[in-house]
Each structure stands twice: as C-alpha cells, then as structure tokens.
Amino acid sequence: MIKPLVAAAALALAVGLGGCVIIADDGGDSDVVNIAAPATDYAALYASAVSDSRRLPDEVARDPLRKPAEMLAFMDLEPGDAIADIRPEEGYFTRLFAPVVGPSGHVYAFVPNQTSERENAYGDTLAATFPNVSRQTGKLEEMAFDRPLDVVFMGQEYHDFVIDRFGVDVPAMNAAVFAALKPGGLYVILDHQSAPGAGITQVGTLHRIEASALRAQIEAAGFIFDGETDAVANPADDHSLSVFDAAIRGRTDQFVYRFRKPA
C-alpha cells in the first residue's frame, strides 16, 4: 500500500481540484477515488446584490415575494458570467445580475422590437447605471450576442411571446437562445402557472402558461431539463384569475424551470 502521507496528499489535491485520484498498492492493483470539486458559496455575494443601493425602492419592496437571493442561487450565477435578461422592462432582475457578474462579466438587457418604443429607455437607464450592462434591441428569433452566454433568463415574459398577436416564432426564438448559449449554458424561465390541462390556452387572457407545456417547447429545441424551484410558488392561487387582477397580482403561483444546453 502507499504511504499514508502520500495518500493524504493525493486526496487533498483531489479535493482542491476535483476529479479522481488513482491510488495503487504495492501489488500493482489500483483503487479509483472520485472526489467532486466543492461548489463555491456565493451567498454573501447574492446578499450584497440584493442590498445594492442602485436598486429601485419599489422593486426592493417586492423582494419578500420574488425571493431574489434564492433565484440567483438557482441560476448558479457567478462572477464573470455573461447573461441575457430578455425583456427586462424596468430591470428588476438586471439590477441583481449586474453586481453578481461584476466587471469581468456582462448583462445584456435585450429589448424585443415589439416593445422597444416604450422599453428602450428602460434599457438605456440600466446601461447608464451599470457599466457592465448594455441594451440590445432586435427580433427575438434572431437574438445574438458578441460572446457565448452562460445564462439566458426570461422573467414572467415567455407566456407573452406565445400570444399570437405578439407575432413571435417561438421555436425560432428558442433556437436562437440555444445558439447563443455556451455548451452547458442555462436557459432559466420564471412564469405564471396556469391551471392543469390549460396548456397555452390562457396566455393571452389570464397571462398564464402551464409549466408542462412550456417545458415541452423548450425540450423540443434541444435543451435538457435541469431542475426547478418552488421559491415563488403559491399553492393558495387557484389559477382562475388574470395575473393583473388586484386579488392576486404580485402573489400568483409561479414556477421556475432551469434547462441546460448539452455540453
């Protein structure tokens, strides 16, 4: 057998770097010990982003229901990442992403042509506030960026793009997201849950989409389902009201799905 100190050193190296260690005994046989690299804990970084003074007071007031730190953790967002926030509007999430990815990362505030007349100004404000944010406007079906992305995020917007009057070729949009991501990159979608069996029939009326229907569309684009979180779920919502109804607005039952582009 190998000397204990050598074995300990090998294991320590494996823990530091991740991967596997091959430990051979004196007879030539070997044992393979797989050691996973420890995940970095960015809890303090996420907390700092949540408390960033550049966030708007009315957005901060929504935090108890929107769970920003939990969302950032679910997205595996880290310094140096490149992320696209699709239709960021006033920038609730963009203002969280920018401090996390930091100066070595970048946030693309992507404004669809359909809403650009009103929302380009929001994107320009975000770019003026954060040096690592740029506003980009274009067709959802043709979105492309100047570097491969680590994450593409849609927050309560996907259902709108499914509405006929929006005029979006949804399969082409998802294909553009797929092309924009690095191998292993993440497509994260937050949206309002619809009633079981509703599919996409309520996207233009109640502004809800059934999670299983959305998942089928994303997987059809080649993505692999990678997990979900119930951080913003609300079992008390019976899915019968429009998300803009005062009785439920801001407190809808929401799902968050994470999809991964195959490596």
Side-chain angles (χ1 to χ4, degrees), residues 32-246:
V32 179
V33 181
N34 290 294
I35 305 293
T40 304
D41 185 355
Y42 290 116
L45 178 62
Y46 298 156
S48 177
V50 171
S51 63
D52 192 288
S53 62
R54 292 167 291 185
R55 299 187 66 216
L56 303 178
D58 63 328
E59 293 182 348
V60 173
R62 296 153 68 190
D63 286 352
L65 294 172
R66 303 202 79 173
K67 308 294 177 64
E70 291 90 332
M71 290 291 295
L72 291 168
F74 180 70
M75 296 167 64
D76 294 332
L77 200 63
E78 58 186 57
D81 277 355
I83 179 172
D85 189 358
I86 309 302
R87 198 185 176 195
E89 300 194 42
E90 292 89 342
Y92 178 93
F93 283 103
T94 298
R95 292 174 185 271
L96 293 165
F97 299 157
V100 172
V101 303
S104 61
H106 198 79
V107 184
Y108 298 89
F110 187 90
V111 181
N113 285 340
Q114 291 91 330
T115 59
S116 60
E117 184 175 351
R118 180 174 71 92
E119 296 173 7
N120 272 346
Y122 296 151
D124 291 339
T125 296
L126 293 167
T129 304
F130 298 91
N132 62 344
V133 173
S134 60
R135 189 261 295 171
Q136 188 167 325
T137 300
K139 292 184 65 174
L140 289 160
E141 300 92 335
E142 298 175 1
M143 69 175 97
F145 305 90
D146 61 8
R147 72 187 83 178
L149 302 181
D150 297 281
V151 183
V152 171
F153 175 75
M154 289 187 187
Q156 300 176 339
E157 303 296 343
Y158 189 96
H159 73 272
D160 277 341
F161 304 148
V162 179
I163 299 173
D164 287 341
R165 67 176 179 271
F166 232 83
V168 178
D169 182 337
V170 175
M173 176 187 73
N174 288 329
V177 172
F178 191 92
L181 284 165
K182 297 176 179 177
L186 299 177
Y187 189 9
V188 180
I189 303 175
L190 158 71
D191 220 321
H192 305 281
Q193 180 68 280
S194 190
I200 63 171
T201 63
Q202 298 176 339
V203 293
T205 53
L206 304 186
H207 289 267
R208 297 173 179 267
I209 186 168
E210 190 174 4
S212 59
L214 181 148
R215 176 174 173 174
Q217 291 187 352
I218 306 303
E219 291 180 332
F223 286 95
I224 298 169
F225 182 72
D226 193 57
E228 63 182 301
T229 176
D230 61 0
V232 290
N234 178 14
D237 176 12
D238 67 4
H239 311 124
S240 65
L241 299 175
S242 164
V243 302
F244 299 113
D245 191 300

